[in-house]
Amino acid sequence: MRKLIALLLLSIAMPAHAERLQFDHRLSPPLQKVLDEGRSEMVQFDGSDPTRLVDLIAVRGESAAKWQEALQIVSIPKQKKIDGAQGWMAQIESGIRSRSAGASCKAEFAVLGQDEHSVTFERRSPGCGAESISYGLYRLVTGKRSWFQLAVLAKDGISPEAKAQWLALLASAHLE
């Protein structure tokens, strides 16, 4: 089962003729535990749209369908109408704000790091009824042919220790 999960992760990281996203999953002990145990119910792959491949790995919760904290890996082809990672972040921010409009919803975004081909940011959306995910850490990495999003999503926030581990994992992400 562990090999199946590893192949699943590789399938999202290696679209045909594209860059590969690499990251050190060992930097998050909860993620490492799920992968070591080979718990297939904790992993969900969505390839229904070949232009948007999505893996979701639950690290806290009952399953990939009923999670409290998860790592989401998204792979898309290069977007010609979006200006790199920073433009992609702006698009994500706009989408979340439009879905979560309301007086009680005050989604906050903070850039934690960026370079020419990537941006890492944090999102807090407490009290947003339409947005059931109250917290997210994101790393967007843009390549010549493929773009990748690593997102740590939590429905009820994460601990400072978990945040530090996830940030280390996100920082390890790079294209090969």
Side-chain angles (χ1 to χ4, degrees), residues 51-149:
T51 65
R52 181 178 167 80
L53 304 176
V54 181
D55 269 318
L56 183 113
I57 305 167
V59 297
R60 218 171 13 107
E62 296 176 30
S63 67
K66 295 182 179 180
W67 56 270
Q68 291 300 310
E69 184 176 335
L71 175 66
Q72 183 184 58
I73 308 163
V74 178
S75 173
I76 62 173
K78 179 179 180 177
Q79 302 295 294
K80 294 178 182 173
K81 295 182 180 183
I82 300 173
D83 187 25
Q86 290 74 19
W88 192 11
M89 179 193 153
Q91 183 183 49
I92 290 169
E93 182 177 347
S94 175
I96 289 171
R97 288 188 190 283
S98 69
R99 288 190 310 271
S100 305
S104 65
C105 181
K106 306 228 184 306
E108 298 173 8
F109 294 81
V111 174
L112 304 176
Q114 62 184 344
D115 60 33
E116 184 181 351
H117 300 286
S118 71
V119 63
T120 302
F121 64 98
E122 178 178 47
R123 173 186 52 84
R124 295 179 185 273
S125 305
C128 295
E131 184 64 44
S132 64
I133 301 167
S134 67
Y135 184 79
L137 280 174
Y138 299 79
R139 173 96 190 257
L140 307 177
V141 181
T142 58
K144 293 179 182 175
R145 295 176 300 273
S146 300
W147 287 12
F148 298 91
Q149 172 189 289

Side-chain angles (χ1 to χ4, degrees), residues 5 7 16 23-24 28 33-34 53 65 72 82 98 111 120 131 141 148 159 161 167 169 171 175:
I5 292 174
L7 287 174
F23 59 91
D24 189 351
S28 169
K33 182 179 178 192
V34 168
L53 304 176
Q72 183 184 58
I82 300 173
S98 69
V111 174
T120 302
E131 184 64 44
V141 181
F148 298 91
S159 71
E161 179 183 14
L167 284 172
L169 180 144
L175 295 179

